[in-house]
Amino acid sequence: MSLPSESFRQLQSEVLELDRRQEYARAQALLEEDLPFFCAPLPGLILWRAYLTIRQGKLEEALAILEEAVAQELWFGPAQLEDESLNPLRSLPAFATATQSCQERYAEAQSRSHPGILVPEPDNPVPLPDPTLFVLHGNQSSPLAELEYWQPMTAHGWQVVLPYSSQPVAYGLAGWNEEACALEEVCIHWEQQQCRKRIAPGLAQEGGIPAIGFIAICPTLEANQVFLPHNACRVRLGLFLPVEHDEGTPATLATTEGLRASGLSCEVPQDPGLSHDFPPGFAEELPAS
């Protein structure tokens, strides 16, 4: 039996809150109590275990947690290994060995990675629907990790398309950090889907997708970053769901004002409890948005 997704998000929230209050032993006990319910070991959960163990001063135990994961053919990406929470382990030779194994597996994953796409089928198949909900997974995520939030739209006449980036960032996870590569992949995926629907192609050459709206979940924007290209004139509706106290939130709010000034209807609902995740009830409320 696996832990339901809602329970996983609750676990994540509780562990992070205990971590914030420096109740590390309680957080670790809560995490390890639920670990058996997961059908496969998740690198993110393993890192949480290591972090909490380090914060209790148990460096050898934390190192053993990471070594066990590497022995199971798992690996951690560069950004994960650079996390400052692991700094107490960096002087240990065994940590350097584990890091080297992860770097080798990361390089191997890069060499054989390729873009993919996930198009969930509705329970009651109908002729290809229109319009299309084109979903880019978050950084350090994947279509499978986010499918539950978007798949319900298939029951409301939408074709849901989830491209998978070819840029691995961790075991089973990918990102969109190389922008030119990401744009090329996304445009190719879009064209392939539109050809299936017998709509004239040509977007890859034009460098854009004729979207009429967007939803940005916890975006990380930089100051003066161009969120929409100048030729995205068809976009009329936008919804930002930013993290309240995130370092990128001021840039997101500034982007929102710029989009509004250009005539785009852009909403920014206030959710003080929102972290870097989908808000509670997102999948249920999306069809009515």
Side-chain angles (χ1 to χ4, degrees), residues 20-40:
R20 186 188 66 81
R21 296 187 341 223
Q22 299 184 5
E23 298 182 34
Y24 306 131
R26 285 187 60 194
Q28 184 175 12
L30 178 63
L31 181 60
E32 296 190 350
E33 178 182 348
D34 284 330
L35 278 177
F37 291 97
F38 291 91
C39 57

Side-chain angles (χ1 to χ4, degrees), residues 106 109-110 113-115 137 139-141 164-170 173-183 185:
Y106 172 61
Q110 286 183 305
S113 180
H114 55 82
H137 61 76
N139 263 341
Q140 296 200 32
S141 189
Y164 197 125
S165 170
S166 68
Q167 303 174 41
V169 297
L173 306 175
W176 306 96
N177 297 319
E178 294 183 20
E179 187 172 338
C181 175
L183 180 60
E185 291 179 9

Side-chain angles (χ1 to χ4, degrees), residues 215-250:
I215 301 174
I217 311 292
C218 307
T220 301
L221 302 179
E222 299 177 358
N224 302 318
Q225 180 177 351
V226 177
F227 183 76
L228 291 175
H230 68 279
N231 61 348
C233 57
R234 303 187 192 185
V235 176
R236 289 292 177 265
L237 302 172
L239 174 65
F240 283 101
L241 298 175
V243 179
E244 185 179 25
H245 300 298
D246 188 75
E247 60 182 13
T249 298

Side-chain angles (χ1 to χ4, degrees), residues 11-259:
L11 169 65
Q12 174 179 266
S13 177
E14 292 176 357
V15 169
L16 291 177
E17 176 60 22
L18 289 171
D19 181 42
R20 186 188 66 81
R21 296 187 341 223
Q22 299 184 5
E23 298 182 34
Y24 306 131
R26 285 187 60 194
Q28 184 175 12
L30 178 63
L31 181 60
E32 296 190 350
E33 178 182 348
D34 284 330
L35 278 177
F37 291 97
F38 291 91
C39 57
L42 303 178
L45 294 181
I46 294 171
L47 282 175
W48 284 359
R49 290 181 62 206
Y51 295 161
L52 293 167
T53 306
I54 290 171
R55 287 166 188 159
Q56 296 174 74
K58 304 174 184 178
L59 301 190
E60 294 295 335
E61 182 178 335
L63 181 59
I65 291 173
L66 299 179
E67 288 181 310
E68 180 182 2
V70 173
Q72 295 175 356
E73 301 299 321
L74 301 179
W75 57 274
F76 306 102
Q80 293 175 321
L81 291 172
E82 291 168 5
D83 193 293
E84 62 181 13
S85 297
L86 296 176
N87 285 349
L89 301 182
R90 300 196 191 282
S91 62
L92 303 179
F95 180 76
T97 300
T99 297
Q100 179 63 33
S101 296
C102 289
Q103 291 172 341
E104 293 172 356
R105 291 172 190 171
Y106 172 61
E108 181 183 357
Q110 286 183 305
S111 68
R112 51 185 175 80
S113 180
H114 55 82
I117 195 164
L118 177 62
V119 182
E121 296 292 337
D123 292 335
N124 299 308
V126 296
L128 284 175
D130 188 33
T132 297
L133 182 60
F134 202 73
V135 181
L136 303 186
H137 61 76
N139 263 341
Q140 296 200 32
S141 189
S142 73
L144 286 175
E146 301 180 6
L147 177 62
E148 64 182 285
Y149 302 105
W150 307 104
Q151 187 168 13
M153 291 297 289
T154 61
H156 296 268
W158 288 72
Q159 179 189 40
V160 178
V161 178
L162 300 98
Y164 197 125
S165 170
S166 68
Q167 303 174 41
V169 297
Y171 181 87
L173 306 175
W176 306 96
N177 297 319
E178 294 183 20
E179 187 172 338
C181 175
L183 180 60
E184 179 182 7
E185 291 179 9
V186 167
C187 286
I188 291 174
H189 283 312
W190 174 265
E191 287 216 352
Q192 290 174 343
Q193 291 304 307
Q194 299 315 301
C195 285
R196 287 182 58 199
K197 296 167 70 173
R198 296 179 175 82
I199 295 178
L203 283 171
Q205 288 74 23
E206 297 173 8
I209 292 175
I212 61 172
F214 67 84
I215 301 174
I217 311 292
C218 307
T220 301
L221 302 179
E222 299 177 358
N224 302 318
Q225 180 177 351
V226 177
F227 183 76
L228 291 175
H230 68 279
N231 61 348
C233 57
R234 303 187 192 185
V235 176
R236 289 292 177 265
L237 302 172
L239 174 65
F240 283 101
L241 298 175
V243 179
E244 185 179 25
H245 300 298
D246 188 75
E247 60 182 13
T249 298
T252 298
L253 297 178
T255 298
T256 300
E257 292 306 315
L259 294 174

